[in-house]
Amino acid sequence: MTTWLWAQPDPERARDTLFRVVGASAQRPGRGPVLPAPDERVGWPERRPVQPGGTAEEERAARARGARAFTLWRDPEGREALAHVVTLAASRRDGAEYEVRGAPGETLGVIRREPGSLWRLRRARWSVRQLDRGAAPATARKGLLRSWFLWLPSRPFQLLLTAFTMGEYAGAEPPRRLRFREPAEKGAGRSGRVVLDFRGGREDLQVVAGGWDRRVTAALLLLLHSWESPLGRSGGHRSFV
């Protein structure tokens, strides 16, 4: 059964470190802020230091390289952990790799991001591998090709408009949709089936195929939210981790 995951600030906990909540529903949430109903709430993420014991400057530098760390709690008080996300490796050149662990510490899955390059016409690549779904990861490239073909020719005009408005106009958000596909079976064509679908703008993750651990897909959603676009904007969403 198809499920949608999304994340929103929790107005009831606006002054707490657990001020956001991840929801899941069989119906796609509407546009704009939609607070999950009590029975739709998956967990509350809490950011963790990526450089424990380090200075604030070291923490910022590590996050700029792509490091992330957070805990997903079952309850808004943070009494029972659902999952932990840690960074295995992070660099500006090679990308970042994250591990999703269960509350006891066992590995549930691995998520990887490889950076793209606007000038080299290379899209960022994401992959997610859940251990109990097999060895092959589901992979996605940032943005649909047809969307890039529309966005790239308009980029010079966007830059001119940005200069004309003295930076008031940052430009149109580049394509951000990510359609995660599993490897195609032999004889089934070049593209495998879509199993996960993230839509920038709506900022939700559609779980198309069954068998996915809710902890892994929630971690993927939050990591996707944590990455800004090449324009340096957050695409209308808040980074929760």
Side-chain angles (χ1 to χ4, degrees):
M1 182 178 66
T2 298
T3 304
W4 278 268
L5 277 77
W6 75 103
Q8 287 292 337
D10 187 345
E12 299 176 2
R13 308 192 60 82
R15 297 182 180 180
D16 196 278
T17 55
L18 300 177
F19 67 86
R20 50 283 206 205
V21 59
V22 177
S25 173
Q27 301 293 328
R28 191 178 189 187
R31 292 186 178 274
V34 178
L35 186 65
D39 60 344
E40 297 174 339
R41 298 177 186 182
V42 175
W44 285 256
E46 182 177 25
R47 181 185 292 188
R48 297 294 192 187
V50 295
Q51 291 281 346
T55 65
E57 184 177 349
E58 290 172 337
E59 180 78 9
R60 287 192 296 269
R63 288 188 174 274
R65 292 192 300 269
R68 303 287 189 271
F70 61 92
T71 294
L72 184 65
W73 299 97
R74 186 185 299 274
D75 57 280
E77 288 75 30
R79 292 189 297 259
E80 183 180 354
L82 281 175
H84 307 282
V85 174
V86 299
T87 301
L88 299 179
S91 72
R92 292 180 182 273
R93 178 180 179 180
D94 298 324
E97 189 172 53
Y98 311 98
E99 186 176 66
V100 185
R101 300 172 179 172
E106 78 282 12
T107 301
L108 302 174
V110 176
I111 299 170
R112 179 169 176 79
R113 179 187 183 271
E114 300 172 18
S117 172
L118 184 61
W119 308 114
R120 296 180 181 179
L121 300 180
R122 184 180 64 200
R123 294 179 290 166
R125 180 179 183 270
W126 284 83
S127 66
V128 53
R129 179 170 64 92
Q130 182 174 300
L131 266 60
D132 62 7
R133 284 182 62 87
T139 60
R141 294 278 185 180
K142 180 180 177 179
L144 303 182
L145 277 177
R146 62 175 179 269
S147 300
W148 283 109
F149 288 148
L150 294 174
W151 185 84
L152 283 172
S154 70
R155 184 57 178 154
F157 301 99
Q158 296 178 42
L159 294 174
L160 288 174
L161 187 57
T162 299
F164 180 77
T165 60
M166 304 293 289
E168 291 294 325
Y169 175 72
E173 185 76 18
R176 295 176 56 237
R177 187 170 183 177
L178 290 153
R179 305 186 77 185
F180 289 84
R181 297 177 182 271
E182 290 183 335
E185 298 179 358
K186 291 185 178 180
R190 295 179 59 184
S191 299
R193 63 168 182 159
V194 175
V195 293
L196 301 167
D197 193 352
F198 174 77
R199 291 175 172 86
R202 295 292 289 268
E203 311 304 331
D204 56 28
L205 178 67
Q206 182 184 6
V207 183
V208 181
W212 284 97
D213 190 314
R214 187 67 54 82
R215 296 167 293 181
V216 174
T217 52
L220 174 63
L221 172 70
L222 293 165
L223 287 169
L224 292 173
H225 276 199
S226 78
W227 282 94
E228 294 187 349
S229 75
L231 297 182
R233 301 189 306 154
S234 60
H237 66 262
R238 294 182 63 185
S239 174
F240 295 155
V241 298

